[in-house]
């Protein structure tokens, strides 16, 4: 930032008085108000950036070919499979975000891009085929440059290449198509959006539809191939299982033939025969036991009841015999043994006994025969049962192998039936098979381009222009070390800014010269600021009579200010003498139409009397002394007594003496002139003089014990200064135009 001078010089011989602190001006420039003032001051720059950036953006957009983006949507919904054997072949992963991203990558793969390029004839489209583009001027120049320079040479014959051949143009087209083709899954859904960008809306829409169609058909073809592979696998299993069933059936038939085993209803004869023989044996054994019991009873080996049970005929005869015995006993007891009836009954009793014995003999013989028959039958049945059990055991041993073959046959038939059922299911599913993805929204040709997006880009360019304009103004504001108003000048130097001398344009000057403007146009703002300067000088408490007018650098307007101030005072009735102390850059004779003759240097050398060097201003009558001829002893001349004597004598004849001093920074005589004068006016060029240079000049004048009563801001641009918003710029407002004329 700007340096802050500690103090400023006072009148010669007096104590130094402190200068006003600079931080007020520093804070004002670094504040928001200072930045807003900088914006107002440089609003032309801001408006230029605000116009140029969008204009350049718009011109650039006009040079860019518009691109159209078509959008289509498809939904990915994997179908389920009921056939268990297909799970390993047609396994479906759950539809997750990664699955949808994978499908999007497939959609924008090089394979799909190639199909899109083939269907849309993009290999011949100049937008995508580099060979179809007309060569640019630079490319044509580079290609034709060897011919223009005579460097053409016969190209060698192309050798035959074996193996794959690169096709850069085709690869470049595929790369461009793939870069323009984009697919992205819609979050939290099974929908994939497909977009394609092209210069033609029809090409963009057709490319999107071709990409979705190719993807769906590829999905269906891949799924169909997998179903066919699964069907073939099942048919192979079917053939293998059918052969296995036939083989097992043949093995069972051969086994039955080898072991003489029957099938169907005859298969259970062995078991039934054993059962029947067992039952018959039990019955025969019961009959044998019964016959043996009867035989024993008949032989008298059992009790009466058993004997009674031998045969009904024996029981009947015995009953009759017992009755007859009872009658014989009764008659004998009654009539005696000799009684004829008793004897007759005795004879009947004897006949009955003989008949009973004969019957018992017959019954015993019959029972014995029955017992022998039952015993033989039991033995026969036992032999048959033993043979049947042996045959059954042999059949059981043979049945083990047959059962194993039957189980294998049943398993093979079960597998064959399952495969047949699944073949039928697969065939039915293949008949209704569809792609896992289908379109839900086809792409239509867009009616407005997607790129360049004119409205957002222009809005962004305007925003960027505003930002760049503010940044540029801020950078210029920080880099600008010059002064822009009397307030800044006053805050920096600590002395009042007595006037703001406006820059007069060529149109306002007309045929006048700038140094004649204040005298010829006394009612202008320029002349009014000169009068304001004169009033400020006159109101100084010391009422200075000799005033040195200097500047920090050349071209600050000090000579013009000295002449304009002198002429204005002369027109105001004062006696004014203007002495040109800037010997090395003398201009009074040219500007005031003076004549050649002795000047200040000749007076200081004693070669001429100062009164003889006086010349009159043809416009106002102001007296002036020209610089004279420059010499190497200029400093010594200003330090001589002649200079002090000249000023002392001039004080007696003139009311105001103006010393046009050279710039302070480079010319030493300016310090002498400022020290000899009653007061010093320092000219500061508006928006040009660096603050460091100004502060350095004030330090030099301070070291020379010069009294700086004020500063003057010269060459102010009224329009720019008015836009800056500074308080002292109000004098240039249009409301004051009625006060200024000419």
């Amino acid at each position: 930032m700007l340096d802050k001078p500690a103090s400023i010089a006072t009148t010669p011989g007096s104590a130094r008085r402190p200068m006003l602190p600079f931080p007020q001006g520093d804070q004002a420039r670094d504040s928001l108000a200072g930045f807003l003032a900088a914006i107002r001051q440089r609003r032309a720059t801001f408006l230029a950036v605000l116009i140029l950036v969008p204009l350049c953006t718009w011109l650039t957009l006009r040079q860019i070919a518009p691109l159209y983006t078509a959008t289509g949507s498809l939904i990915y919904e994997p179908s389920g499979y009921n056939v268990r054997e297909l799970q390993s072949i047609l396994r479906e992963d759950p539809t997750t975000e990664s699955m949808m991203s994978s499908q999007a990558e497939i959609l924008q793969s090089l394979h799909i891009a190639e199909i899109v390029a083939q269907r849309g004839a993009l290999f011949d489209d100049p937008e995508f085929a580099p060979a179809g583009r007309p060569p640019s001027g630079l490319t044509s120049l580079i290609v034709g440059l060897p011919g223009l320079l005579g460097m053409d040479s016969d190209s060698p014959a192309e050798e035959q290449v074996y193996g794959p051949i690169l096709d850069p143009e085709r690869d470049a087209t595929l790369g461009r198509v793939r870069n323009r083709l984009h697919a992205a899954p819609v979050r939290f859904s099974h929908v994939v959006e497909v977009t394609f960008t092209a210069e033609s809306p029809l090409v963009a829409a057709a490319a999107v539809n071709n990409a979705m169609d190719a993807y769906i058909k590829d999905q269906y073809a891949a799924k169909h191939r997998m179903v066919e592979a699964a069907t073939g696998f099942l048919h192979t299993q079917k053939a293998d299982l059918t052969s296995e069933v036939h083989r097992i059936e043949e093995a069972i038939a051969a086994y039955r033939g080898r072991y003489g085993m029957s099938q169907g209803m005859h298969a259970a004869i062995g078991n039934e025969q054993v059962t029947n023989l067992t039952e018959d044996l039990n019955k025969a054994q019961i009959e044998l036991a019964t016959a043996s019991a009867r035989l024993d009873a008949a032989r008298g080996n059992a009790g009466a009841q058993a004997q009674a049970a031998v045969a009904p005929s024996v029981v009947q005869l015995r009953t009759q015999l017992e009755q007859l015995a009872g009658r014989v006993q009764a008659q004998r007891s009654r009539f005696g043994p000799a009684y004829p009836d008793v004897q007759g009954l005795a004879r009947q009793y004897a006949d009955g006994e003989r008949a009973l014995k004969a019957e018992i003999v017959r019954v015993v013989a019959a029972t014995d025969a029955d017992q022998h028959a039952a015993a033989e039958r039991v033995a026969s049945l036992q032999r048959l049962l033993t043979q049947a059990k042996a045959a059954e055991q042999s059949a059981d041993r043979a049945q083990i192998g047959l059962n194993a073959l039957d189980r294998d046959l049943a398993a093979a038939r079960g597998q064959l039936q399952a495969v047949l059922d699944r073949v039928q299911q697969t065939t039915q599913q293949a008949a209704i098979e569809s792609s896992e993805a289908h379109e839900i929204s086809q792409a239509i040709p867009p009616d407005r381009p997607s790129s360049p997006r004119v409205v957002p880009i222009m809005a962004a360019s305007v925003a960027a222009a505003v930002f760049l304009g503010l940044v540029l103004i801020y950078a210029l504001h920080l880099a600008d070390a010059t002064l822009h108003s009397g307030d800044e000048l006053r805050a920096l130097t600590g002395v009042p800014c007595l006037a703001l001398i406006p820059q007069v344009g060529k149109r306002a000057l007309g045929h006048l010269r700038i140094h004649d403007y204040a005298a010829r146009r006394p009612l202008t703002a320029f002349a009014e600021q000169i009068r304001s300067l004169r009033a400020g000088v006159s109101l100084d408490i010391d009422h200075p009579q000799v005033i040195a007018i200097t500047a920090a650098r050349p071209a600050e307007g000090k000579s013009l200010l000295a002449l304009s101030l002198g002429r204005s005072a002369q027109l105001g009735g004062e006696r004014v003498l203007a002495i040109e102390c800037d010997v090395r850059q003398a201009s009074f004779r040219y500007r005031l139409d003076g004549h050649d003759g002795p000047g200040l240097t000749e007076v200081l050398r004693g070669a001429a009397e100062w009164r003889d060097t006086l010349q009159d201003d043809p416009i106002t009558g102001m007296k002036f002394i020209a610089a004279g001829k420059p010499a190497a002893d200029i400093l010594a001349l200003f330090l001589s007594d002649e200079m002090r004597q000249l000023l002392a004598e001039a004080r007696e004849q003139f009311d105001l003496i103006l010393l046009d001093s050279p710039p302070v920074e480079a010319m030493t005589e300016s310090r002498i002139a400022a020290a000899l004068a009653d007061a010093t006016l320092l000219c500061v060029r508006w928006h040009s003089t660096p603050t460091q240079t100004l502060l350095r000049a004030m330090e030099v004048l301070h070291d020379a014990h010069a009294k700086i009563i004020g500063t003057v801001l010269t060459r102010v641009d009224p329009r720019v200064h008015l836009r800056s918003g500074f308080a002292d710029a109000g004098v240039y407002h249009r409301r004051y135009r009625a006060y200024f004329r000419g």
Side-chain angles (χ1 to χ4, degrees), residues 549-621:
I549 301 177
T550 184
R553 302 187 309 171
E556 301 287 300
K558 61 177 184 57
S559 298
L560 175 63
L561 180 65
L563 294 178
S564 298
L565 179 60
R567 284 177 165 179
S568 177
Q570 186 71 29
L571 291 175
E574 298 182 64
R575 294 174 299 172
V576 180
L577 173 63
I579 301 176
E580 187 177 22
C581 298
D582 193 356
V583 179
R584 307 184 193 189
Q585 293 291 332
S587 61
F588 275 16
R589 287 176 178 172
Y590 164 73
R591 295 185 176 186
L592 301 178
D593 297 329
H595 56 79
D596 293 335
L600 179 61
T601 56
E602 285 78 12
V603 173
L604 297 180
R605 290 192 187 97
E609 180 66 26
W610 68 272
R611 294 179 180 85
D612 297 335
T613 60
L614 293 177
Q615 299 187 48
D616 294 331
D617 175 24
I619 298 177
T620 63

Side-chain angles (χ1 to χ4, degrees), residues 137-146:
L138 180 61
T139 304
S140 302
L141 179 61
I142 294 175
V143 173
L145 185 61

Side-chain angles (χ1 to χ4, degrees), residues 8 26 207 225 254 290 292 326 397 422 591 672 719 734:
I8 191 170
D26 191 9
R225 287 193 299 269
T290 302
S292 298
R397 287 193 296 271
R422 287 158 194 169
R591 295 185 176 186
I672 307 303
R719 291 178 296 178
R734 57 189 177 188

Side-chain angles (χ1 to χ4, degrees), residues 376-579:
E376 290 179 358
R377 186 177 180 186
V378 167
S380 176
L381 288 175
Q382 285 179 345
R383 289 193 300 272
L384 292 176
L385 181 59
T386 302
Q387 293 175 358
K389 287 183 177 180
E392 184 179 6
Q393 290 177 357
S394 176
D396 288 340
R397 287 193 296 271
Q399 190 67 32
I400 293 174
L402 181 62
N403 291 339
L405 292 176
D406 287 338
R407 287 193 298 272
D408 293 342
L409 179 61
R413 284 177 175 173
Q415 292 180 359
L416 178 60
Q417 185 62 40
V419 170
L420 292 175
D421 294 340
R422 287 158 194 169
V423 167
Q424 184 178 4
Q425 293 177 8
T426 306
T427 305
Q428 293 175 355
Q429 185 158 348
I432 61 173
E433 192 61 57
S434 62
S435 175
E436 295 176 347
H438 58 274
E439 298 174 352
I440 59 176
S441 175
Q442 283 194 340
I444 60 175
D447 55 354
R448 61 183 60 185
S450 61
S451 175
R453 302 177 64 184
V454 178
V455 174
I457 291 177
M458 291 302 298
S461 68
V462 171
V466 172
F467 177 75
L468 291 177
L470 294 177
V471 171
L472 179 60
I473 289 176
Y474 186 69
L476 294 175
H477 180 64
L478 293 180
D480 188 4
T482 61
L483 298 167
H484 307 86
S485 69
D487 295 335
E488 288 186 355
L489 186 57
R490 182 183 298 109
L492 177 67
T493 61
V495 296
C497 179
L498 301 178
L500 275 71
I501 309 301
Q503 178 79 25
V504 181
K506 293 182 179 181
R507 182 178 180 181
L509 282 175
H511 64 282
L512 297 177
R513 296 179 298 181
I514 183 62
H515 46 272
D516 297 335
Y517 188 73
R520 298 292 187 183
R521 299 285 189 272
L523 298 180
T524 59
F526 184 90
E528 185 62 30
Q529 288 298 313
I530 296 297
R531 288 191 288 271
S532 175
L533 174 61
R534 180 64 185 121
V537 172
S538 300
L539 293 176
D540 188 80
I541 58 176
D542 295 330
H543 301 289
Q545 185 179 3
V546 180
I547 300 175
I549 301 177
T550 184
R553 302 187 309 171
E556 301 287 300
K558 61 177 184 57
S559 298
L560 175 63
L561 180 65
L563 294 178
S564 298
L565 179 60
R567 284 177 165 179
S568 177
Q570 186 71 29
L571 291 175
E574 298 182 64
R575 294 174 299 172
V576 180
L577 173 63
I579 301 176

Side-chain angles (χ1 to χ4, degrees), residues 145-227:
L145 185 61
L148 295 176
L149 299 177
M151 300 173 59
D152 288 340
S153 59
D154 295 335
S155 58
E158 296 183 356
E159 297 181 359
Q160 186 176 2
V161 179
Y162 297 95
I165 301 176
L166 294 177
D167 192 347
E169 295 181 358
R170 179 182 177 85
D171 294 343
T173 300
L174 292 178
R176 286 185 173 89
V177 173
R178 182 182 182 184
N179 292 335
R180 299 287 184 89
L181 180 63
H182 296 282
V186 179
R187 290 179 61 86
F188 309 112
S189 70
H190 295 176
V191 177
V192 178
E193 284 190 352
V194 185
T195 60
F196 190 85
T197 303
E199 296 179 1
S200 171
L202 297 177
V203 171
V208 171
N209 294 330
N210 288 332
M212 293 193 299
D213 182 69
Y215 169 76
I216 292 173
K217 289 183 177 179
D218 281 354
Q219 289 286 325
Y220 177 75
K223 194 170 184 180
H224 187 69
R225 287 193 299 269
M226 289 187 292
V227 171

